[in-house]
Amino acid sequence: MPPNLVTPPFQVAISRTSGDAQIFSAYAAVNLLVVQLSASPPVRTLAPGGTTTYAVNIGREAGYTKPINLDFDRSSLPVGVSGRLDPPNPVFGNTATLTLSGNSNVTQGSRSIDISGTGERAVVIPTTVILNTTSSSSGGGGGGGAGRRSFALSVATNNIARTEIAA
């Protein structure tokens, strides 16, 4: 867990105004615990008709035992890819699995997929994974190396992804 990323207690201001006049104001200190999400491995490749998985690690601050509700950005999935999280919400343990499956029409490319969560009295810090997809027409012919081969390389560092394509 990164030190000093979020330091409780948090001060919450509650106020009510009427026009320009402030009628009521109160402050409260709230102790929220930090939950850090991470994924392993951070980069995967998916071919048409294939399946790949990421282990989602739930790094709980000492003493936090409440369930976490996980989600991922389905809108960032490539065409032809679907996904699910196991176990289903809420997650009481420290790990979950994000499974991504591709149909025969997967589009080739590289996508960042955000994994986020919520928890009672917790600040949940999200993580990002990279999914590289290949099309059914990519790759070499496999017949002696005379065919043209292509590959994709993605590097993810501090939630910043860089993709290089070479032929």
Side-chain angles (χ1 to χ4, degrees), residues 59-96:
R60 298 168 183 267
E61 191 169 340
Y64 189 78
T65 59
K66 299 204 179 287
I68 299 295
N69 290 305
L70 295 175
D71 201 5
F72 65 97
D73 184 7
R74 288 162 179 78
S75 68
S76 64
L77 294 178
V79 171
V81 176
S82 62
R84 72 175 190 281
L85 280 162
D86 291 310
N89 286 320
V91 179
F92 288 90
N94 294 325
T95 59

Short mmCIF file of all heavy atoms in Angstrom, two decimals, residues 59-96:
data_model
loop_
_atom_site.label_atom_id
_atom_site.label_comp_id
_atom_site.label_asym_id
_atom_site.label_seq_id
_atom_site.Cartn_x
_atom_site.Cartn_y
_atom_site.Cartn_z
N GLY A 59 -6.05 -4.97 -1.64
CA GLY A 59 -5.14 -4.67 -0.53
C GLY A 59 -5.87 -3.87 0.53
O GLY A 59 -6.04 -2.66 0.39
N ARG A 60 -6.29 -4.54 1.58
CA ARG A 60 -7.07 -3.90 2.65
C ARG A 60 -6.14 -3.35 3.73
O ARG A 60 -5.21 -4.03 4.15
CB ARG A 60 -8.02 -4.91 3.27
CG ARG A 60 -9.04 -5.46 2.30
CD ARG A 60 -9.76 -6.67 2.90
NE ARG A 60 -10.68 -7.25 1.96
CZ ARG A 60 -11.98 -6.94 1.89
NH1 ARG A 60 -12.48 -6.05 2.72
NH2 ARG A 60 -12.76 -7.51 1.01
N GLU A 61 -6.44 -2.15 4.17
CA GLU A 61 -5.73 -1.59 5.31
C GLU A 61 -6.05 -2.44 6.54
O GLU A 61 -7.16 -2.98 6.66
CB GLU A 61 -6.17 -0.15 5.53
CG GLU A 61 -5.31 0.60 6.51
CD GLU A 61 -5.59 2.09 6.51
OE1 GLU A 61 -6.15 2.61 5.53
OE2 GLU A 61 -5.24 2.72 7.50
N ALA A 62 -5.08 -2.59 7.42
CA ALA A 62 -5.26 -3.45 8.60
C ALA A 62 -6.56 -3.13 9.33
O ALA A 62 -6.87 -1.97 9.59
CB ALA A 62 -4.07 -3.28 9.54
N GLY A 63 -7.33 -4.17 9.59
CA GLY A 63 -8.56 -4.01 10.34
C GLY A 63 -9.80 -3.84 9.49
O GLY A 63 -10.92 -3.88 10.01
N TYR A 64 -9.65 -3.64 8.17
CA TYR A 64 -10.83 -3.45 7.33
C TYR A 64 -11.34 -4.80 6.84
O TYR A 64 -10.66 -5.49 6.08
CB TYR A 64 -10.54 -2.54 6.13
CG TYR A 64 -11.80 -2.16 5.39
CD1 TYR A 64 -12.63 -1.18 5.89
CD2 TYR A 64 -12.16 -2.80 4.22
CE1 TYR A 64 -13.80 -0.84 5.23
CE2 TYR A 64 -13.33 -2.47 3.56
CZ TYR A 64 -14.15 -1.49 4.07
OH TYR A 64 -15.31 -1.16 3.43
N THR A 65 -12.52 -5.20 7.29
CA THR A 65 -13.07 -6.52 6.94
C THR A 65 -14.38 -6.44 6.19
O THR A 65 -14.96 -7.47 5.87
CB THR A 65 -13.28 -7.36 8.22
OG1 THR A 65 -14.19 -6.65 9.09
CG2 THR A 65 -11.97 -7.61 8.94
N LYS A 66 -14.87 -5.26 5.91
CA LYS A 66 -16.16 -5.12 5.23
C LYS A 66 -16.02 -5.52 3.75
O LYS A 66 -14.94 -5.49 3.19
CB LYS A 66 -16.66 -3.69 5.36
CG LYS A 66 -16.87 -3.28 6.81
CD LYS A 66 -17.85 -2.17 6.93
CE LYS A 66 -18.08 -1.78 8.36
NZ LYS A 66 -18.86 -2.70 9.11
N PRO A 67 -17.14 -5.91 3.13
CA PRO A 67 -17.08 -6.32 1.72
C PRO A 67 -16.78 -5.15 0.79
O PRO A 67 -17.08 -4.00 1.11
CB PRO A 67 -18.47 -6.89 1.45
CG PRO A 67 -19.34 -6.23 2.45
CD PRO A 67 -18.50 -6.00 3.67
N ILE A 68 -16.20 -5.48 -0.35
CA ILE A 68 -15.91 -4.51 -1.41
C ILE A 68 -16.75 -4.89 -2.62
O ILE A 68 -16.82 -6.07 -2.99
CB ILE A 68 -14.41 -4.53 -1.78
CG1 ILE A 68 -13.54 -4.16 -0.58
CG2 ILE A 68 -14.12 -3.61 -2.96
CD1 ILE A 68 -13.72 -2.75 -0.09
N ASN A 69 -17.37 -3.90 -3.24
CA ASN A 69 -18.10 -4.12 -4.49
C ASN A 69 -17.18 -3.69 -5.63
O ASN A 69 -16.81 -2.52 -5.72
CB ASN A 69 -19.40 -3.31 -4.52
CG ASN A 69 -20.41 -3.87 -3.55
OD1 ASN A 69 -20.74 -5.05 -3.60
ND2 ASN A 69 -20.90 -3.04 -2.64
N LEU A 70 -16.82 -4.64 -6.47
CA LEU A 70 -15.92 -4.38 -7.59
C LEU A 70 -16.71 -4.17 -8.88
O LEU A 70 -17.80 -4.71 -9.05
CB LEU A 70 -14.96 -5.55 -7.79
CG LEU A 70 -13.97 -5.81 -6.68
CD1 LEU A 70 -13.16 -7.07 -6.98
CD2 LEU A 70 -13.05 -4.62 -6.47
N ASP A 71 -16.12 -3.41 -9.80
CA ASP A 71 -16.70 -3.21 -11.12
C ASP A 71 -15.55 -2.92 -12.08
O ASP A 71 -14.44 -2.61 -11.68
CB ASP A 71 -17.69 -2.04 -11.11
CG ASP A 71 -18.67 -2.10 -12.27
OD1 ASP A 71 -18.65 -3.09 -13.03
OD2 ASP A 71 -19.46 -1.16 -12.42
N PHE A 72 -15.83 -3.05 -13.37
CA PHE A 72 -14.84 -2.68 -14.39
C PHE A 72 -15.55 -1.95 -15.50
O PHE A 72 -16.76 -2.05 -15.67
CB PHE A 72 -14.09 -3.92 -14.92
CG PHE A 72 -14.94 -4.90 -15.66
CD1 PHE A 72 -15.01 -4.88 -17.04
CD2 PHE A 72 -15.68 -5.86 -14.97
CE1 PHE A 72 -15.79 -5.79 -17.71
CE2 PHE A 72 -16.47 -6.77 -15.64
CZ PHE A 72 -16.53 -6.74 -17.02
N ASP A 73 -14.80 -1.17 -16.25
CA ASP A 73 -15.35 -0.32 -17.30
C ASP A 73 -15.66 -1.15 -18.55
O ASP A 73 -14.80 -1.35 -19.39
CB ASP A 73 -14.38 0.81 -17.62
CG ASP A 73 -14.93 1.80 -18.63
OD1 ASP A 73 -16.11 1.69 -18.98
OD2 ASP A 73 -14.16 2.68 -19.05
N ARG A 74 -16.89 -1.61 -18.63
CA ARG A 74 -17.31 -2.42 -19.78
C ARG A 74 -17.30 -1.64 -21.08
O ARG A 74 -17.10 -2.22 -22.15
CB ARG A 74 -18.70 -3.00 -19.52
CG ARG A 74 -18.70 -4.10 -18.47
CD ARG A 74 -20.10 -4.36 -17.91
NE ARG A 74 -20.11 -5.41 -16.92
CZ ARG A 74 -19.72 -5.27 -15.67
NH1 ARG A 74 -19.27 -4.11 -15.24
NH2 ARG A 74 -19.76 -6.29 -14.83
N SER A 75 -17.45 -0.33 -21.01
CA SER A 75 -17.46 0.49 -22.23
C SER A 75 -16.08 0.54 -22.90
O SER A 75 -15.98 0.89 -24.07
CB SER A 75 -17.96 1.90 -21.94
OG SER A 75 -17.02 2.60 -21.13
N SER A 76 -15.03 0.19 -22.16
CA SER A 76 -13.69 0.21 -22.76
C SER A 76 -13.30 -1.13 -23.39
O SER A 76 -12.22 -1.23 -23.96
CB SER A 76 -12.66 0.62 -21.71
OG SER A 76 -12.60 -0.33 -20.68
N LEU A 77 -14.16 -2.13 -23.28
CA LEU A 77 -13.85 -3.43 -23.90
C LEU A 77 -13.92 -3.31 -25.42
O LEU A 77 -14.81 -2.64 -25.96
CB LEU A 77 -14.83 -4.50 -23.43
CG LEU A 77 -14.78 -4.87 -21.95
CD1 LEU A 77 -15.86 -5.91 -21.64
CD2 LEU A 77 -13.41 -5.38 -21.56
N PRO A 78 -13.03 -3.97 -26.13
CA PRO A 78 -13.08 -3.96 -27.60
C PRO A 78 -14.35 -4.68 -28.10
O PRO A 78 -14.94 -5.49 -27.38
CB PRO A 78 -11.84 -4.75 -28.02
CG PRO A 78 -11.00 -4.89 -26.80
CD PRO A 78 -11.89 -4.73 -25.63
N VAL A 79 -14.71 -4.41 -29.33
CA VAL A 79 -15.83 -5.11 -29.96
C VAL A 79 -15.53 -6.60 -29.94
O VAL A 79 -14.42 -7.03 -30.23
CB VAL A 79 -16.03 -4.61 -31.41
CG1 VAL A 79 -17.03 -5.47 -32.15
CG2 VAL A 79 -16.45 -3.16 -31.41
N GLY A 80 -16.53 -7.39 -29.54
CA GLY A 80 -16.37 -8.84 -29.52
C GLY A 80 -15.84 -9.40 -28.22
O GLY A 80 -15.61 -10.60 -28.11
N VAL A 81 -15.63 -8.55 -27.19
CA VAL A 81 -15.11 -9.01 -25.91
C VAL A 81 -16.14 -8.75 -24.82
O VAL A 81 -16.75 -7.69 -24.76
CB VAL A 81 -13.79 -8.29 -25.55
CG1 VAL A 81 -13.30 -8.69 -24.17
CG2 VAL A 81 -12.72 -8.59 -26.60
N SER A 82 -16.35 -9.77 -23.98
CA SER A 82 -17.24 -9.61 -22.81
C SER A 82 -16.44 -9.98 -21.57
O SER A 82 -15.38 -10.61 -21.66
CB SER A 82 -18.46 -10.52 -22.95
OG SER A 82 -18.07 -11.88 -22.99
N GLY A 83 -16.94 -9.58 -20.41
CA GLY A 83 -16.19 -9.86 -19.19
C GLY A 83 -17.09 -10.07 -18.00
O GLY A 83 -18.26 -9.72 -18.01
N ARG A 84 -16.49 -10.67 -16.95
CA ARG A 84 -17.21 -10.87 -15.69
C ARG A 84 -16.19 -10.91 -14.55
O ARG A 84 -15.02 -11.25 -14.74
CB ARG A 84 -18.04 -12.14 -15.71
CG ARG A 84 -17.25 -13.42 -15.65
CD ARG A 84 -18.13 -14.67 -15.56
NE ARG A 84 -17.34 -15.84 -15.28
CZ ARG A 84 -16.62 -16.52 -16.16
NH1 ARG A 84 -16.61 -16.14 -17.42
NH2 ARG A 84 -15.93 -17.58 -15.81
N LEU A 85 -16.67 -10.55 -13.37
CA LEU A 85 -15.86 -10.62 -12.16
C LEU A 85 -16.36 -11.76 -11.30
O LEU A 85 -17.57 -11.95 -11.12
CB LEU A 85 -15.98 -9.31 -11.37
CG LEU A 85 -15.12 -8.16 -11.88
CD1 LEU A 85 -15.62 -6.85 -11.31
CD2 LEU A 85 -13.67 -8.37 -11.51
N ASP A 86 -15.43 -12.57 -10.76
CA ASP A 86 -15.76 -13.65 -9.85
C ASP A 86 -14.89 -13.52 -8.60
O ASP A 86 -13.70 -13.29 -8.73
CB ASP A 86 -15.48 -15.01 -10.51
CG ASP A 86 -16.44 -15.31 -11.65
OD1 ASP A 86 -17.65 -15.17 -11.43
OD2 ASP A 86 -15.96 -15.67 -12.73
N PRO A 87 -15.41 -13.66 -7.41
CA PRO A 87 -16.80 -13.95 -7.13
C PRO A 87 -17.67 -12.73 -7.39
O PRO A 87 -17.16 -11.62 -7.46
CB PRO A 87 -16.79 -14.30 -5.63
CG PRO A 87 -15.63 -13.54 -5.08
CD PRO A 87 -14.61 -13.50 -6.19
N PRO A 88 -18.98 -12.96 -7.52
CA PRO A 88 -19.87 -11.82 -7.71
C PRO A 88 -19.90 -10.95 -6.45
O PRO A 88 -19.53 -11.41 -5.37
CB PRO A 88 -21.24 -12.46 -7.98
CG PRO A 88 -21.14 -13.84 -7.46
CD PRO A 88 -19.69 -14.22 -7.51
N ASN A 89 -20.30 -9.71 -6.61
CA ASN A 89 -20.32 -8.77 -5.48
C ASN A 89 -21.33 -9.21 -4.43
O ASN A 89 -22.33 -9.81 -4.76
CB ASN A 89 -20.68 -7.38 -5.98
CG ASN A 89 -19.51 -6.75 -6.71
OD1 ASN A 89 -18.37 -6.89 -6.29
ND2 ASN A 89 -19.78 -6.07 -7.79
N PRO A 90 -21.06 -8.90 -3.17
CA PRO A 90 -19.86 -8.25 -2.66
C PRO A 90 -18.73 -9.25 -2.45
O PRO A 90 -18.97 -10.43 -2.28
CB PRO A 90 -20.33 -7.66 -1.33
CG PRO A 90 -21.40 -8.59 -0.87
CD PRO A 90 -22.07 -9.10 -2.12
N VAL A 91 -17.49 -8.74 -2.46
CA VAL A 91 -16.32 -9.57 -2.27
C VAL A 91 -15.84 -9.41 -0.82
O VAL A 91 -15.53 -8.31 -0.38
CB VAL A 91 -15.19 -9.18 -3.25
CG1 VAL A 91 -13.96 -10.04 -3.03
CG2 VAL A 91 -15.68 -9.29 -4.68
N PHE A 92 -15.81 -10.51 -0.09
CA PHE A 92 -15.36 -10.48 1.30
C PHE A 92 -13.88 -10.82 1.43
O PHE A 92 -13.26 -10.49 2.42
CB PHE A 92 -16.19 -11.46 2.15
CG PHE A 92 -17.59 -10.98 2.38
CD1 PHE A 92 -18.61 -11.32 1.50
CD2 PHE A 92 -17.90 -10.18 3.46
CE1 PHE A 92 -19.89 -10.88 1.70
CE2 PHE A 92 -19.19 -9.73 3.67
CZ PHE A 92 -20.20 -10.08 2.79
N GLY A 93 -13.31 -11.47 0.44
CA GLY A 93 -11.91 -11.89 0.50
C GLY A 93 -10.97 -10.83 -0.03
O GLY A 93 -11.33 -9.66 -0.19
N ASN A 94 -9.75 -11.25 -0.34
CA ASN A 94 -8.72 -10.34 -0.81
C ASN A 94 -8.39 -10.50 -2.29
O ASN A 94 -7.48 -9.85 -2.78
CB ASN A 94 -7.45 -10.52 0.03
CG ASN A 94 -7.67 -10.08 1.46
OD1 ASN A 94 -8.42 -9.14 1.72
ND2 ASN A 94 -7.05 -10.77 2.38
N THR A 95 -9.10 -11.39 -2.99
CA THR A 95 -8.85 -11.57 -4.41
C THR A 95 -10.15 -11.80 -5.16
O THR A 95 -11.14 -12.28 -4.60
CB THR A 95 -7.92 -12.76 -4.71
OG1 THR A 95 -8.51 -13.95 -4.20
CG2 THR A 95 -6.54 -12.57 -4.11
N ALA A 96 -10.13 -11.44 -6.42
CA ALA A 96 -11.22 -11.71 -7.34
C ALA A 96 -10.57 -11.97 -8.69
O ALA A 96 -9.37 -11.74 -8.87
CB ALA A 96 -12.19 -10.53 -7.42
#
